[in-house]
């Protein structure tokens, strides 16, 4: 099977969050199962690219689309990269979606419209790079127009050609971000009127929603945990798209992300002070001491160190951490926090650190090494997200013997077992709901467990470290899902009959 994995970020080239990690790890895991996989992403400025350019293909200008090039880069063992070069759209420094001040680029519809269109083209006989995918796998809104283009071209193709057009999957990594733009972009992006309906198309409250396009037209929809797959079908976490997702529930499934166990492995992590494992935890104590020294936190044996790495947003429950910090410190805790985002949250965190210089340290910014050191050196990891499609940090922390405190939502619910669960298989502390009181209660439980019952604590650590969070199981689930939608497959991954689509007034050419 030939799979094109289309994405807007991929670590270490460019990463704003978990999508970057997933794009780096999932395609090779699928390739390891014997499939041909290529990764398509934009050629942003300043990418730390390593590898050899082994192909150069023009993508001619056409209608509203500017001319672009595809560069094929081979990176030794990794999955080959297809970089979409169009300097006027992508050669900008900084994060992929916004300028340095955090203002979204006004031409994002065109930037990611082109990325989606080229992804879709690679799934057709008109592929510009001489390689045609059987499956085009889109990820989040920046590539979610690809399923719409493929559907539009499939509808316009004659019966003989239809099966030569790739099937599509869209993976929802975070439904909170949808790529909603004014409707007049639709014609500029070559989207036919038949694909813009509110019930069966991409219209969202009078605007064009790229995410909704993906959800409406993909042959399969996945999201990054089974619990989140259920949650997004409810008004509470559906961000206005729960109705569409309920309608397409027979095409939707949750596949839990994995973690890259080469990069996140405490026995072989070059970024941490000392290696350690479930059986040899001495190195972890050295990591804690080093982290405290680096951050200037008091080295008091009786104090438990809580870590947090992530985006400072409401999603991540940072406000609960801020409001609960005073109690946490009074009860004998310390906090090592790394992240950036919402300015008001940054300011509140800084004030907290100023008030408790011995016990709270906040580092604002993106720092890969410090993220590893916090995972390794903390006793427990805080992740009280209001919602969390999957979350990677709670899996990293379990692998690093750092039992996490989490909310019972999305991938957190699917990957952490509470310390009090029957059977002794606990790996962390699952809050009883999403609230300040639930956060405070879980933190108090973690503190008590760490201080009073060291044997139980070590069992939590060992259980977490022995869990298998590797990618192979997820990769196998993706391959099963691809197999169900391959052109010619008569059933979808859940065995439901193939949906029929209204042949529209699609543009006859692409
Ligand atoms: P999300 O994608 O919602 O931000 P995830 O837990 O899935 O959350 O993934 C976040 C990824 O980004 C993790 O690899 C995490 O370590 C990393 N990360 C987030 N913020 C920072 C930061 N300030 N510095 C370094 N790494 C970070
Ligand atoms: C998103 C989600 C996060 C998930 C990541 C990778 O950024 O917020 O929960 O782990 O995507 O799928």
């Amino acid at each position: 099977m030939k799979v094109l994995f289309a994405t807007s970020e991929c670590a270490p080239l460019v990463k704003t969050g978990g999508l970057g990690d997933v794009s780096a790890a999932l395609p090779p895991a699928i390739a390891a199962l014997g499939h041909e996989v290529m990764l398509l992403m934009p050629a942003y400025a300043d990418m730390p690219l390593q590898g050899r350019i082994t192909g150069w293909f023009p993508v001619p200008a056409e209608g509203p689309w500017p001319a672009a090039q595809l560069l094929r880069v081979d990176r030794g063992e990794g999955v080959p990269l297809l970089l979409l070069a169009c300097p006027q759209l992508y050669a900008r420094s900084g994060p992929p979606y916004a300028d340095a001040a955090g203002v979204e680029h006004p031409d994002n519809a065109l930037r990611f419209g082109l990325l989606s269109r080229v992804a879709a083209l690679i799934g057709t006989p008109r592929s510009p790079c001489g390689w045609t995918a059987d499956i085009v796998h889109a990820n989040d809104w920046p590539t979610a127009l690809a399923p719409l283009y493929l559907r539009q071209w499939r509808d316009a193709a004659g019966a003989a050609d239809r099966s030569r057009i790739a099937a599509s999957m869209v993976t929802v990594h975070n439904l909170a971000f949808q790529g909603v733009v004014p409707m007049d972009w639709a014609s500029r992006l070559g989207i036919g009127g038949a694909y813009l309906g509110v019930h069966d198309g991409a219209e969202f409250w009078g605007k064009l929603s790229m995410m909704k396009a993906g959800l409406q037209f993909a042959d399969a929809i996945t999201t990054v945990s089974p619990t989140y797959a259920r949650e997004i079908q409810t008004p509470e976490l559906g961000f206005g798209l729960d109705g569409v997702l309920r309608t397409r529930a027979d095409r939707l499934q949750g596949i839990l992300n994995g973690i890259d166990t080469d990069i996140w492995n405490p026995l072989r992590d070059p970024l941490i002070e000392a290696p350690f494992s479930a059986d040899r935890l001495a190195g972890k104590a050295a990591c804690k001491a080093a982290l405290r020294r680096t951050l200037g936190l008091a080295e008091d044996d009786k104090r438990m160190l809580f870590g947090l790495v992530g985006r400072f947003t409401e999603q991540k429950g940072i406000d609960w951490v801020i409001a609960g910090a005073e109690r946490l410190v009074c009860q004998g805790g310390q906090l090592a926090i790394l992240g950036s985002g919402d300015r008001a949250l940054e300011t509140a965190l800084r004030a907290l650190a100023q008030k408790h210089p011995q016990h709270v340290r906040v580092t604002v910014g993106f720092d890969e090494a410090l993220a590893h050191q916090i995972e390794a050196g903390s006793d427990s990891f805080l992740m009280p997200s209001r919602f969390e499609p999957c979350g990677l940090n709670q899996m990293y922390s379990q692998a690093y013997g750092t039992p996490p405190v989490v909310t019972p939502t999305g991938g957190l619910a699917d990957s952490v077992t509470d310390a009090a669960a029957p059977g002794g298989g606990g790996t962390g502390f699952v809050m009883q709901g999403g609230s300040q009181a639930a956060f405070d209660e879980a933190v108090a439980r973690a503190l008590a467990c760490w201080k009073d019952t060291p044997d139980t604590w070590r069992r939590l650590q060992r259980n977490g470290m022995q869990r298998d969070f590797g990618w192979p199981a997820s990769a196998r689930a993706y391959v099963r899902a691809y197999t169900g939608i391959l052109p010619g497959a008569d059933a979808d991954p859940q065995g439901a009959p193939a949906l029929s689509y209204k042949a529209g007034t699609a543009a006859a050419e692409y």
Side-chain angles (χ1 to χ4, degrees), residues 411-497:
L412 302 176
D414 293 342
S415 64
V416 181
T417 307
D418 189 72
T427 62
F429 299 86
V430 181
M431 293 157 50
Q432 287 164 13
S435 69
Q436 186 69 52
F439 174 74
D440 294 342
E441 188 270 343
V443 166
R445 268 201 303 140
L447 272 155
C449 181
W450 183 81
K451 281 190 184 162
D452 304 336
T453 53
D455 289 347
T456 307
W457 189 264
R458 248 175 296 292
R459 194 173 66 232
L460 290 181
Q461 289 183 297
R462 242 195 325 270
N463 288 346
M465 295 178 88
Q466 285 166 352
R467 273 214 175 159
D468 176 10
F469 290 117
W471 272 105
S474 319
R476 282 193 294 274
Y478 277 99
V479 168
R480 275 195 298 277
Y482 296 154
T483 307
I485 54 172
L486 272 176
D490 38 20
D492 79 354
Q494 276 89 37

Side-chain angles (χ1 to χ4, degrees), residues 15 17-18 21 309-311 316 338-339 365-367 391-393 396:
K15 160 173 161 180
D21 291 342
V309 179
R311 294 181 287 115
K316 300 288 178 182
L338 165 66
F366 200 91
D367 185 335
L392 299 172
N393 278 311
Y396 300 153

Side-chain angles (χ1 to χ4, degrees), residues 15-22 173-174 177 257 264 309-312 315-316 338-340 363-372 375 381 383 388-394 396:
K15 160 173 161 180
T16 66
L19 174 59
D21 291 342
V22 173
H173 295 265
N174 195 336
F177 304 105
N257 286 333
W264 292 95
V309 179
R311 294 181 287 115
F312 296 161
Q315 174 191 343
K316 300 288 178 182
L338 165 66
S340 64
T363 308
V364 174
F366 200 91
D367 185 335
E368 194 74 36
L370 185 56
H372 283 244
E375 291 288 6
F381 192 89
M383 204 154 167
E388 195 60 75
C390 178
L392 299 172
N393 278 311
Q394 83 284 3
Y396 300 153

Side-chain angles (χ1 to χ4, degrees), residues 67-431:
Q69 289 87 39
L70 276 174
L71 303 179
R72 181 185 159 133
V73 180
D74 280 293
R75 303 178 289 171
E77 291 168 13
V79 159
L81 278 182
L82 288 169
L83 291 179
L84 180 60
C86 182
Q88 79 219 56
L89 295 185
Y90 305 124
R92 301 172 194 173
S93 327
Y97 318 107
D99 64 19
V103 179
E104 286 202 2
H105 296 303
D107 57 351
N108 272 349
L110 185 62
R111 298 171 76 227
F112 296 108
L114 180 67
L115 180 64
S116 300
R117 177 176 178 270
V118 172
L121 269 178
I122 294 173
T124 72
R126 280 190 58 200
S127 170
C129 61
W131 181 87
T132 306
D134 303 312
I135 302 283
V136 172
H137 183 163
N139 290 279
D140 270 352
W141 70 265
T143 45
L145 284 180
L148 183 153
Y149 289 129
L150 285 166
R151 176 59 51 78
Q152 190 165 286
W153 300 335
R154 205 187 294 164
D155 289 345
D161 287 337
R162 215 160 280 157
S163 64
R164 298 173 68 205
I165 293 181
S168 65
M169 172 185 285
V170 67
T171 297
V172 177
H173 295 265
N174 195 336
L175 197 59
F177 304 105
Q178 300 185 356
V180 176
V181 297
M183 189 48 100
D184 54 10
W185 274 104
S187 56
R188 294 171 66 188
L189 298 176
I191 300 173
Y195 301 86
L196 293 170
V198 70
H199 297 299
D200 54 0
E203 185 201 316
F204 188 68
W205 298 103
K207 296 188 171 177
L208 168 66
S209 164
M210 302 201 218
M211 182 68 106
K212 188 173 176 187
L215 300 181
Q216 294 281 31
F217 297 110
D219 298 303
I221 305 168
T222 63
T223 186
V224 288
S225 69
T227 295
Y228 194 59
R230 288 190 294 276
E231 289 171 339
I232 54 179
Q233 296 179 58
T234 67
E236 292 74 32
L237 286 179
F239 289 93
L241 293 175
D242 46 296
V244 176
L245 285 157
R246 283 195 301 275
T247 308
R248 302 219 65 215
D250 60 339
R251 295 290 177 139
L252 168 66
Q253 66 170 311
I255 300 175
L256 193 70
N257 286 333
I259 65 174
D260 189 328
T261 47
D262 286 332
I263 296 176
W264 292 95
N265 181 340
L267 258 184
R268 288 197 299 267
D269 185 338
L271 299 171
I272 64 175
E273 178 74 10
F276 61 93
S277 66
D279 301 324
R280 283 183 292 134
L281 279 166
K284 185 162 173 73
C287 290
K288 180 174 177 181
L291 177 63
R292 281 170 150 174
R293 274 196 304 278
T294 309
L295 298 179
L297 291 170
E299 293 192 48
D300 173 348
D301 283 351
K302 298 207 169 51
R303 283 204 173 252
M304 178 175 178
L305 179 57
F306 290 85
L308 186 158
V309 179
R311 294 181 287 115
F312 296 161
T313 61
E314 214 204 337
Q315 174 191 343
K316 300 288 178 182
I318 305 292
D319 50 325
W320 291 331
V321 176
I322 294 170
E326 205 72 49
R327 272 181 294 273
L328 181 150
V329 170
C330 285
Q331 290 169 5
Q334 291 180 314
L335 274 170
I337 298 182
L338 165 66
S340 64
D342 185 292
R343 292 290 140 84
L345 293 173
E346 275 181 27
T347 308
L349 285 167
R350 282 205 169 100
L352 202 62
Q354 251 165 16
K355 190 161 173 213
H356 299 284
Q358 301 264 304
H359 301 310
V360 179
R361 182 61 194 254
V362 175
T363 308
V364 174
F366 200 91
D367 185 335
E368 194 74 36
L370 185 56
H372 283 244
Q373 288 150 12
I374 290 178
E375 291 288 6
S378 302
D379 295 303
S380 173
F381 192 89
L382 299 178
M383 204 154 167
S385 308
R386 285 192 165 74
F387 65 93
E388 195 60 75
C390 178
L392 299 172
N393 278 311
Q394 83 284 3
M395 297 197 268
Y396 300 153
S397 62
Q398 288 172 81
Y400 279 64
T402 309
V405 171
V406 302
T407 4
T409 187
L412 302 176
D414 293 342
S415 64
V416 181
T417 307
D418 189 72
T427 62
F429 299 86
V430 181
M431 293 157 50

